[in-house]
Amino acid sequence: MSKKDGEGCPRNRKQDNAQALRMGDPASDVSSSPVLSAFKTFQLELDCKHDKYERLVKLSRDITIESKRTIFLLHRVTSVPNVEEVLSEAESKLDGVRLKISQIAEELRGEDLFQFHRAFTPGIQEYVEAVSFQHFIRNRSLITLEEVNSKLVFLKEDRTEAKDSSAVQQGAPGALVFQVTPTDYLLGVADLTGELMRMCINSVGNGDMDTPFQLGQFLREIHDGFSYIGNTGPYEVSKKLYTLKQSLAKVEDACYTLRVRGSEIPRHMLADVFTSRAALIDTEDGVA
Amino acid sequence: MSVTDMFSNIQGFLSADQDIREDIRKVVQVLEQTAREILTVLQSVHQPSGFKDIPSKCLRARELFSTVRNHIGDLKTKFPVDQYYRFHEHWRFVLQRVTFLAAFVVYLESESLVTREEVAQILGIEVDREKGFHLDIEDYLAGVLIMASELSRLAVNSVTSGDYGRPLRISRFINELDSGFRLLNLKNDPLRKRYDGLKYDVKKIEEVVYDLSIRGLTKDPETAGDK
């Protein structure tokens, strides 16, 4: 149509373009019409948004990978003599993860957290899982949301004028704050229970008779907590509740067997009973 | 803090969140009602009789937009201003609808594409995120695309009503819109899906124009167009 006609001759733009269009003026230069110039700004805006989104997705993937590695590392505590060493190594890995999270916070400076939430929620959940796992091994308690968040305050010297939004709210001047949403925290904790179940089975395999009962107790508390929330939470939470129930059942079974068998089998043989059992459970369902 | 305390804290957060969503849903429902009313007013331009008094219909629609502004003003008070995207999904659909309606009114009045600023003004909202409740760019574009399919329908019906000039003008307009959208690098998202429908609207209108031209009905679009 007429848009082809004008392409060769870049005329004075804007100048009664709408008029020209309506009249079907063959010389109307549509390539610089208000509509097209508007769309050019839209293009910039959308591209900018998509780029930011992609960068966040990439950061989130890196966070997921590093957090997973930390969790694997932490699983070694059941079999090594020096727990502290493993814990401090995990700590330094988590510091690396936090560095990445600070980059997310940097990207989100002045943005709405929830506009890009989908891009980084998997990474954050994995981080919560790792950090709460480490916290549990060290303190035998559940890390609170406040504790998680308090570790995600980053001091930036270069920029003092922090323009902050809901997510990145004003802390100390120049501080960059990332806030884990309660939902992400909740989902991370739900994942944690899978790790605790594994840890329980592993520690039985290593002849540790106390940890399984502690874990059983702890998992029950978490399970009660989740049941309290029930279906008022988001959809993903209720989905994870099912897996949580399975994990809890396995741990409870393990404790049960430990009690029953423990009274009749000599201690040094228990390990054998459970190594075969653990293998059985792992093949049944390999999900964490 | 014990595990139980932690969970009851979170439970508190979740139920507060649900209350907000409930409030938003109520306002959005009323907003949808008004949007349907405006649509009904504007739909009558497809009637043969409707072509004669388009200005009065636009006027009526503009009156109804003041109700929309009230409802959106109400909606703004239902949630913290900096958490727009947290609840975005609740009003995304209706905001696209009213954007379409605003764009359609503006097109009927002036046969030009409504700017994002104009839509924001008609709806009583902002363009920039920083300034408060705003019109997301993707919602604006989605609204414009809804209008494109409405216009392809209008082109058909205007021929039925004997207005042979209008399809030509619509065709030029849609073509320009199409080349505008071609500039965008869309991701594989709902907007892209909707954009994929634009080519069928373009095609439909081109067929109408073709039908008119082989019958020699387009000879004098200028005079035919000015009813």
Side-chain angles (χ1 to χ4, degrees):
Chain A
M1 281 240 82
S2 58
K3 75 170 176 243
K4 292 277 174 339
D5 305 334
E7 258 162 18
C9 53
R11 234 176 37 154
N12 253 346
R13 41 214 285 279
K14 294 230 167 140
Q15 169 223 324
D16 63 17
N17 227 328
Q19 173 80 1
L21 272 176
R22 206 164 308 147
M23 295 295 125
D25 182 350
S28 72
D29 183 6
V30 185
S31 65
S32 62
S33 72
V35 171
L36 286 199
S37 60
F39 271 90
K40 270 174 197 142
T41 60
F42 298 157
Q43 180 197 43
L44 286 180
E45 197 175 333
L46 280 173
D47 284 352
C48 174
K49 205 162 106 179
H50 292 160
D51 289 350
K52 191 183 271 284
Y53 191 89
E54 289 308 321
R55 284 197 301 275
L56 286 169
V57 168
K58 189 166 178 306
L59 281 171
S60 165
R61 286 220 184 101
D62 292 346
I63 290 171
T64 308
I65 293 167
E66 262 317 288
S67 302
K68 277 223 162 76
R69 284 186 187 146
T70 313
I71 291 167
F72 274 113
L73 173 73
L74 285 168
H75 272 302
R76 278 174 37 206
V77 293
T78 49
S79 56
V80 295
N82 194 350
V83 174
E84 202 45 50
E85 205 172 280
V86 174
L87 281 177
S88 61
E89 198 185 333
E91 187 62 44
S92 68
K93 267 186 185 293
L94 285 177
D95 280 338
V97 176
R98 279 191 277 269
L99 199 70
K100 290 257 189 276
I101 296 180
S102 82
Q103 287 170 14
I104 289 189
E106 184 69 45
E107 287 283 356
L108 291 176
R109 188 192 287 273
E111 297 283 350
D112 188 331
L113 167 85
F114 290 95
Q115 188 173 11
F116 300 100
H117 189 233
R118 278 231 311 273
F120 55 83
T121 174
I124 295 302
Q125 286 174 30
E126 206 67 29
Y127 168 74
V128 171
E129 183 180 347
V131 83
S132 57
F133 193 34
Q134 190 222 25
H135 184 90
F136 175 78
I137 291 170
R138 186 166 268 162
N139 307 313
R140 301 281 144 167
S141 65
L142 182 65
I143 194 168
T144 63
L145 180 56
E146 287 74 26
E147 283 171 294
V148 176
N149 280 333
S150 68
K151 284 187 182 168
L152 297 177
V153 178
F154 310 101
L155 289 167
K156 281 276 148 91
E157 310 79 28
D158 46 357
R159 243 164 287 183
T160 39
E161 207 57 44
K163 209 175 73 182
D164 292 340
S165 74
S166 68
V168 188
Q169 52 173 246
Q170 199 80 32
L176 204 52
V177 183
F178 183 86
Q179 297 272 290
V180 174
T181 66
T183 313
D184 283 345
Y185 169 78
L186 211 54
L187 294 172
V189 171
D191 290 337
L192 167 72
T193 57
E195 301 306 326
L196 294 177
M197 180 271 289
R198 275 197 193 179
M199 185 183 172
C200 169
I201 304 300
N202 282 340
S203 56
V204 176
N206 292 306
D208 183 347
M209 294 301 129
D210 302 325
T211 312
F213 293 101
Q214 285 174 3
L215 280 166
Q217 184 56 37
F218 184 62
L219 270 184
R220 258 192 293 275
E221 280 178 43
I222 292 185
H223 175 259
D224 294 350
F226 271 97
S227 326
Y228 178 59
I229 285 173
N231 56 5
T232 56
Y235 169 67
E236 301 98 303
V237 173
S238 28
K239 234 172 38 181
K240 297 218 168 168
L241 194 55
Y242 177 72
T243 326
L244 171 57
K245 281 197 172 112
Q246 283 184 324
S247 304
L248 180 64
K250 278 175 202 166
V251 171
E252 283 178 339
D253 271 357
C255 291
Y256 166 81
T257 319
L258 219 51
R259 269 280 183 265
V260 175
R261 297 289 194 87
S263 57
E264 58 189 32
I265 299 183
R267 250 176 183 242
H268 65 275
M269 284 176 67
L270 259 176
D272 298 334
V273 174
F274 266 97
T275 36
S276 54
R277 198 190 152 76
L280 189 80
I281 285 176
D282 267 354
T283 49
E284 245 172 41
D285 149 346
V287 289
Chain B
M1 194 192 282
S2 78
V3 175
T4 324
D5 289 343
M6 193 65 228
F7 274 95
S8 66
N9 273 358
I10 291 182
Q11 161 64 28
F13 165 84
L14 288 174
S15 43
D17 190 72
Q18 266 191 339
D19 290 346
I20 294 180
R21 286 175 198 276
E22 205 52 54
D23 284 349
I24 291 175
R25 231 166 274 153
K26 273 183 208 142
V27 184
V28 166
Q29 238 165 33
V30 192
L31 198 54
E32 276 170 350
Q33 177 59 39
T34 316
R36 278 196 296 272
E37 280 169 32
I38 298 178
L39 185 62
T40 315
V41 170
L42 292 179
Q43 283 291 300
S44 56
V45 300
H46 293 292
Q47 307 285 345
S49 55
F51 277 96
K52 290 171 191 77
D53 48 354
I54 284 177
S56 73
K57 296 205 162 65
C58 292
L59 227 57
R60 174 84 190 104
R62 285 217 181 241
E63 277 167 31
L64 284 167
F65 269 113
S66 69
T67 328
V68 170
R69 277 193 291 277
N70 285 341
H71 292 323
I72 292 183
D74 201 15
L75 181 60
K76 285 178 197 166
T77 62
K78 300 297 180 201
F79 66 97
V81 77
D82 54 1
Q83 299 189 5
Y84 180 91
Y85 283 100
R86 189 157 148 215
F87 306 106
H88 189 192
E89 287 305 317
H90 291 293
W91 57 73
R92 180 162 227 170
F93 177 77
V94 72
L95 204 57
Q96 290 175 2
R97 292 304 283 184
V98 291
T99 303
F100 147 60
L101 294 168
F104 196 37
V105 167
V106 169
Y107 178 80
L108 290 173
E109 283 169 352
S110 64
E111 306 212 342
S112 63
L113 177 65
V114 72
T115 62
R116 202 167 151 208
E117 288 75 17
E118 273 176 279
V119 181
Q121 197 199 339
I122 292 173
L123 303 179
I125 58 181
E126 302 291 339
V127 176
D128 290 331
R129 192 181 63 79
E130 278 83 8
K131 288 187 188 140
F133 196 98
H134 67 287
L135 179 62
D136 187 82
I137 180 164
E138 293 184 27
D139 291 342
Y140 164 75
L141 292 174
V144 170
L145 285 172
I146 303 177
M147 178 183 63
S149 40
E150 192 67 22
L151 287 181
S152 78
R153 209 185 132 212
L154 186 65
V156 173
N157 288 330
S158 56
V159 173
T160 316
S161 313
D163 184 349
Y164 300 140
R166 189 178 286 275
L168 293 166
R169 298 197 304 275
I170 292 179
S171 173
R172 271 195 291 277
F173 179 74
I174 292 275
N175 266 308
E176 195 179 10
L177 212 56
D178 188 41
S179 38
F181 271 99
R182 265 171 224 271
L183 288 176
L184 306 180
N185 308 309
L186 296 174
K187 287 213 302 182
N188 210 359
D189 57 4
L191 185 61
R192 162 74 189 274
K193 225 178 261 171
R194 191 160 265 156
Y195 163 68
D196 288 342
L198 182 62
K199 58 175 177 280
Y200 300 110
D201 300 328
V202 173
K203 183 166 175 258
K204 181 86 203 162
I205 296 169
E206 278 172 357
E207 278 168 7
V208 172
V209 171
Y210 169 77
D211 281 341
L212 290 177
S213 36
I214 56 164
R215 288 170 180 81
L217 293 170
T218 60
K219 286 223 178 78
D220 202 2
E222 271 88 346
T223 51
D226 299 333
K227 52 176 175 345

